[in-house]
């Protein structure tokens, strides 16, 4: 405010009248007179702006004397430029615009423009942090022309966005400004139709590999629409924004009209049944789809129709559970084996085939395992380096008939053996029974078990023999009564006297049995040594004999169990009886003990059996 502009020098005669100065003109309000000085009339709200007022301020100074204009002067003030403004994009150059997807690469696709009111030089650039910056480039920074650097594809991207910068290039401040440009891509009919489902050639490449359609029929199928895998025969125009109408045609393989196709929907119909005498089992068709308005844009697909026999039997595993072994090691992969270190191979049979082998069987694990895989030959492969010794895994293997869709499943029981452990040779072996026990220790344990079985057998045999002895003693009452057909005394009177005598003896299969009470008591021992020898030579006799019934359910006859056994010796045709040495040792003679009884034999030799009669 009040900036000095100029001084006014006035010269006049001494007698001249008063002089009056006056400022006029378009910019006179920007000045004021202070006596003979011209100053700038600005304030905080009125600031000089070259971009608004222009480069010059023009005013007129008029001199009056007695209200008579004496002189007229022009005041010309130049406003010096200051860099106080930033560049600005022209709105019409940064509006969203469209580019054809077939625009040529290296061609200028659009131009941006920015202005600087200070008149500074401006340069342009593309922010490389933009997602789509790699589609464009700027060859001449001061021109603002943007060049296409990569081909566009509407099917991949329909809209692009980049950030543009405008910056002063000839000032110290280097003021700049940015804006976001939106580029819409226009679809053009440049793509061929393709069959569905679309399988990209590689990730990121919008090119489809046409699928092979397959269907199964039997010789009974006739006049029916075929169902294909991986889906119905369908095609789509490659230009998503256009979706031109398509036309389907069978180029080859229709077998003289056996197969017909709907030109609009792509459905294939079987018009007549397959001849049973036809040797070929499959039909291969070539189907073409093209645009109705442009037949040069087309695509081809292969259709396979298989003629199958009637499926009567499902696939069946030869066992419900397979046993497998794998030895722990650092190998990344190993084949699972079975008993005898043989390769474990799961197999199925299908009675629909003469040899039982169905070539359409595919094996897989359900659920999938990260440790095991099964090949199409039924061989299991394990990731050995990820297994731990003594682990056990139960897997389910599923065999699927790809033609009929029938499935069969079986379990696989896999044991992980430690390093150096041998694979068992069978389901029941010594090695399996004793696991990792040393072979010598396992043999000793097996021998001990065999000895235990032998001891148990001998114990049972001994018990059986003991149970038979009472049955053999049942013949004693008949013998004493003289009824036994094989035993008789030398005289009937002696036999009757022997039967009636309370101290009589009995004949049995094993010798002569004598009542214990008929024998005199043994003499007292003379010394401790003879007593000990006597005790060793004589059998132990219970002090309190007990009575038992021998084959006498009615309880009429009671006999003592303590009987003395007399050994029988065969002498020619007459059998004599002698007492056992261990029984008669230290006892009086039997003849003395039996005196006083009429008809009783005085010696053991007189007791014999008559074997001449058999009745």
């Amino acid at each position: 405010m009040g900036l000095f502009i100029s001084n006014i020098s006035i010269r006049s005669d001494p007698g001249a009248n008063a002089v009056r100065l006056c400022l006029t003109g378009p910019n006179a309000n920007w000045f004021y007179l202070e006596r003979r000085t011209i100053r700038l009339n600005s304030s905080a709200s009125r600031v000089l702006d070259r971009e608004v007022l222009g480069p010059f301020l023009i005013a007129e100074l008029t001199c009056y004397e007695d209200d008579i204009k004496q002189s007229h002067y022009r005041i010309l003030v130049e406003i010096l430029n200051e860099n106080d403004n930033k560049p600005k994009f022209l709105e019409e150059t940064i509006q969203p615009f469209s580019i054809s997807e077939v625009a040529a690469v290296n061609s200028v696709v659009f131009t941006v423009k920015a202005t600087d009111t200070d008149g500074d030089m401006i340069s342009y650039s593309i922010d490389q942090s933009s997602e789509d910056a790699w589609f464009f480039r700027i060859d001449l920074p001061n021109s603002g022309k943007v060049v296409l650097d990569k081909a566009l594809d509407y099917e991949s991207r329909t809209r692009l966005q980049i950030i543009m910068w405008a910056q002063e290039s000839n000032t110290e401040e280097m003021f700049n400004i940015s804006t976001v440009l939106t580029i819409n891509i226009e679809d053009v009919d440049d793509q061929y139709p393709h069959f569905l489902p679309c399988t990209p050639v590689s990730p990121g490449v919008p090119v489809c590999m046409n699928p092979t359609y397959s269907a199964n029929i039997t010789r009974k199928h006739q006049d029916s629409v075929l169902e294909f895998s991986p889906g119905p025969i369908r095609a789509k125009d490659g230009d998503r924004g256009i979706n031109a109408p398509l036309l389907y045609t069978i180029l080859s393989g229709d077998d003289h009209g056996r197969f017909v196709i709907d030109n609009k929907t792509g459905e294939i119909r079987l018009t007549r049944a397959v001849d049973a005498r036809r040797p070929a089992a499959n039909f291969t068709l070539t189907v073409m789809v093209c645009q109705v308005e442009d037949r040069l844009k087309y695509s081809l697909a292969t259709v396979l129709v298989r003629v199958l026999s009637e499926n009567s039997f499902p696939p069946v595993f030869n066992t419900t559970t397979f046993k497998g072994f794998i030895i722990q090691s650092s190998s990344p992969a190993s084949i699972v084996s079975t008993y005898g270190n043989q390769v474990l191979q799961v197999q199925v049979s299908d009675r629909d085939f003469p040899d039982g082998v169905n070539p359409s069987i595919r094996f897989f694990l359900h659920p999938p395992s990260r440790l095991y895989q099964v090949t199409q030959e039924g061989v299991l492969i394990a990731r050995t380096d990820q297994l731990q010794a003594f682990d056990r895994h139960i897997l389910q293997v599923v065999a699927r008939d790809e033609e009929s869709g029938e499935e069969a499943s079986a379990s696989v029981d896999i044991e992980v053996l430690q390093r150096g452990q041998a694979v068992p040779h069978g389901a029941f072996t010594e090695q399996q029974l004793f696991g990792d026990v040393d072979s010598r220790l396992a043999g000793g344990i097996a021998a001990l078990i065999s000895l235990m079985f032998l001891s148990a057998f001998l114990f049972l045999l001994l018990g059986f023999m003991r149970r038979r002895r009472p049955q053999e003693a049942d013949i004693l009452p008949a013998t004493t009564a003289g009824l036994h057909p094989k035993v008789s005394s030398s005289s009937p009177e002696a036999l009757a006297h022997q039967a009636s005598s309370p101290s009589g003896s009995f004949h049995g299969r094993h010798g002569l049995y004598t009542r214990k009470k008929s024998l005199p008591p043994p003499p007292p021992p003379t010394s401790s040594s003879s007593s000990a020898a006597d005790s060793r030579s004589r059998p132990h006799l219970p002090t309190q004999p007990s009575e038992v019934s021998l084959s006498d359910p009615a309880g009429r006859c009671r006999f003592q169990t303590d009987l003395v056994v007399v050994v029988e010796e065969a002498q020619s045709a007459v059998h004599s009886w002698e007492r056992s040495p261990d029984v008669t040792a230290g006892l009086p003679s039997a003849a003395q003990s039996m005196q006083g009884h009429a008809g009783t034999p005085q010696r053991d030799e007189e007791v014999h059996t008559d074997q001449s009669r058999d009745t």
Side-chain angles (χ1 to χ4, degrees), residues 81 83 85 115-122 168-171 175:
N81 186 30
N83 188 21
N85 294 284
T115 59
D116 191 320
T117 54
D118 295 324
D120 298 325
M121 185 178 296
I122 300 175
E168 297 174 351
S169 59
N170 61 339
T171 63
F175 291 132

Side-chain angles (χ1 to χ4, degrees), residues 16-28:
N17 296 326
V19 175
R20 181 170 59 88
L21 301 177
C22 180
L23 288 173
T24 58
N27 302 122

Side-chain angles (χ1 to χ4, degrees), residues 122-263:
I122 300 175
S123 61
Y124 304 91
S125 62
I126 299 175
D127 193 336
Q128 296 301 315
S129 64
S130 304
E131 180 181 359
D132 303 320
W134 60 303
F135 280 94
F136 306 97
R137 73 175 190 271
I138 295 179
D139 292 336
L140 300 176
N142 295 332
S143 66
K145 295 181 178 180
V146 180
V147 179
L148 183 64
D149 197 35
K150 178 179 174 56
L152 304 177
D153 182 24
Y154 178 86
E155 287 66 39
S156 300
R157 299 288 299 274
T158 60
R159 177 178 294 182
L160 304 176
Q161 283 188 339
I162 60 174
I163 299 176
M164 290 287 298
W165 286 92
Q167 181 177 346
E168 297 174 351
S169 59
N170 61 339
T171 63
E172 295 181 358
E173 293 78 12
M174 303 288 287
F175 291 132
N176 55 42
I177 191 174
S178 64
T179 186
V180 178
L181 296 180
T182 301
I183 303 99
N184 296 317
I185 300 176
E186 295 178 349
D187 192 15
V188 179
D189 190 6
D190 62 334
Q191 299 292 329
Y192 284 48
H194 58 265
F195 287 91
L196 300 177
C198 173
T199 303
V201 175
S202 61
V205 178
V207 179
C208 297
M209 292 188 299
N210 292 326
T212 298
Y213 298 96
S214 61
N216 298 330
I217 63 173
T218 63
R219 298 184 184 275
K220 295 182 180 180
H221 278 79
Q222 179 175 316
D223 194 19
S224 59
V225 177
L226 302 183
E227 295 183 1
F228 292 93
S229 176
I233 298 177
R234 293 289 184 273
K236 184 179 180 181
D237 184 12
D239 301 305
R240 293 188 302 171
I242 298 178
N243 290 326
L246 305 177
L247 181 68
Y248 299 90
T249 308
I250 297 179
L251 294 183
S252 63
D254 62 346
D255 195 24
H256 306 288
R258 187 185 303 274
F259 300 96
V260 294
I261 190 170
D262 190 317
N263 293 335

Side-chain angles (χ1 to χ4, degrees), residues 87-106:
K88 293 183 179 179
F89 283 102
L90 298 180
E91 290 296 329
E92 61 272 15
T93 64
I94 59 174
Q95 295 298 322
F97 53 91
S98 300
I99 303 176
S100 173
E101 66 171 334
V102 295
V105 179
N106 298 325

Side-chain angles (χ1 to χ4, degrees), residues 479-483 487-501 598-601 606 608 610 613:
T479 305
T480 57
L483 300 177
V487 179
S488 64
S489 62
S490 58
S491 64
E493 293 81 11
L495 183 59
H497 183 271
Q498 184 179 1
S500 61
S501 175
T600 303
E606 297 178 1
H608 62 274
D610 186 3
R613 294 188 304 165

Side-chain angles (χ1 to χ4, degrees), residues 504-570:
S505 301
F506 303 94
H507 288 275
R509 292 182 59 184
H510 303 290
L512 180 66
Y513 294 84
T514 305
R515 296 182 188 276
K516 178 182 178 184
K517 64 181 181 178
S518 64
L519 302 177
T526 57
S527 64
S528 60
S529 60
S530 63
S531 175
D534 235 345
S535 64
R536 287 193 301 268
S537 61
R538 291 196 303 271
H540 175 71
L541 301 177
T543 59
Q544 297 294 336
S546 59
E547 293 184 355
V548 296
S549 175
L550 301 177
S551 301
D552 188 12
R556 295 188 300 270
C557 299
R558 305 293 294 182
F559 299 94
Q560 293 181 356
T561 58
D562 296 327
L563 301 180
V564 179
V565 180
V566 180
V567 180
E568 177 184 9
E569 291 183 359

